[in-house]
Amino acid sequence: MAPPVAEGALPAWVAVLGCGLTLCCLGGAGPLWSSSHEWRKLILTQHWPPTVCKEVDSCRDTLDYWTIHGLWKHEWEKHGTCAAQVDALNSEKKYFGKSLDLYKQLDLNSVLLKFGIKPSINYYQLADFKDALTRIYGVVPKIQCLLPEQGEDVQTIGQIELCFTKEGFHLRNCTEPGEQLPYKQEAWLAEGASTEGLMVCEDGPLFYPPPTKTQR
């Protein structure tokens, strides 16, 4: 479980790098509740900090649990426009509060540990993650990886997306068979699509890197 949040304070675990998005609309900028921003599902993206830090090469220490990547005013102003169509998300407080509620509800860290999936120098199979998440949540997630760098031979898991219905916030498959949602019909509960270097994982082995700690 994530660390408790002190009343009136932003928890440290929501800001791995001090950037990123929480509940952003893929429809672009525009006035709140604009009818031009139609969307059908919410996407909660959780990042694995060691991989994100590897991607941007700017971290010395990394967290050891999956986290929402960023909860700041910028995210609401730039990306909360579509979400504001829903009464439960029509204010900055509701917008971020619902992101935190769903994060805690999913409890991704505990789910993976329940199936013995924990950071390791050994490789897992992508199917290990898919099977565990599908068995617990009953829906198909989207799992994205950092492609191998020169001299490497395996992809590195970076983020996991779980999707919710627009009404009622019920879990749903991120992509239904044969479904290709237009760009403007998704709303995000954390950054995913714009994260450079991350792509949908290929079937096969993947690396789930342990957190790094600076020697003191």
Side-chain angles (χ1 to χ4, degrees):
M1 295 290 290
V5 180
E7 184 176 357
L10 269 176
W13 54 268
V14 302
V16 180
L17 302 177
C19 63
L21 313 177
T22 302
L23 194 61
C24 72
C25 168
L26 294 185
L32 297 181
W33 305 281
S34 168
S35 59
S36 65
H37 294 301
E38 292 298 330
W39 49 276
R40 298 179 183 174
K41 65 182 177 183
L42 296 164
I43 304 174
L44 179 66
T45 302
Q46 297 184 57
H47 291 264
W48 180 238
T51 302
V52 175
C53 286
K54 177 182 178 182
E55 180 187 8
V56 300
D57 193 27
S58 67
C59 305
R60 298 174 62 191
D61 296 341
T62 55
L63 302 178
D64 60 356
Y65 45 83
W66 290 82
T67 180
I68 298 174
H69 195 157
L71 287 176
W72 309 101
K73 183 178 180 181
H74 162 79
E75 321 304 352
W76 164 252
E77 292 180 342
K78 185 175 181 180
H79 304 289
T81 53
C82 285
Q85 294 177 1
V86 178
D87 288 344
L89 304 171
N90 64 10
S91 72
E92 187 173 355
K93 181 178 180 180
K94 291 180 182 179
Y95 170 84
F96 292 131
K98 178 55 69 173
S99 297
L100 290 172
D101 288 344
L102 294 176
Y103 170 85
K104 295 173 183 176
Q105 172 187 320
L106 291 174
D107 196 10
L108 178 58
N109 299 285
S110 295
V111 166
L112 293 175
L113 287 174
K114 179 178 180 179
F115 285 86
I117 301 174
K118 55 186 178 181
S120 172
I121 59 173
N122 299 314
Y123 297 156
Y124 290 92
Q125 295 292 319
L126 176 60
D128 298 331
F129 283 83
K130 283 187 174 179
D131 291 348
L133 298 177
T134 301
R135 286 179 63 182
I136 292 296
Y137 299 126
V139 295
V140 179
K142 180 188 288 186
I143 305 174
Q144 295 185 314
C145 288
L146 190 62
L147 296 179
E149 296 180 350
Q150 187 173 6
E152 298 179 344
D153 59 359
V154 69
Q155 59 195 342
T156 303
I157 191 167
Q159 63 187 26
I160 293 175
E161 299 174 7
L162 285 157
C163 299
F164 295 83
T165 60
K166 182 177 180 179
E167 302 297 336
F169 304 104
H170 301 299
L171 279 165
R172 55 156 289 174
N173 293 336
C174 285
T175 303
E176 301 292 351
E179 177 190 36
Q180 291 186 348
L181 286 180
Y183 180 75
K184 294 183 179 180
Q185 293 183 343
E186 298 177 341
W188 291 70
L189 284 153
E191 181 176 15
S194 63
T195 304
E196 296 182 2
L198 290 177
M199 301 182 66
V200 174
C201 302
E202 298 180 353
D203 288 333
L206 58 79
F207 182 38
Y208 185 16
T212 58
K213 296 296 181 183
T214 304
Q215 296 293 329
R216 301 186 186 280

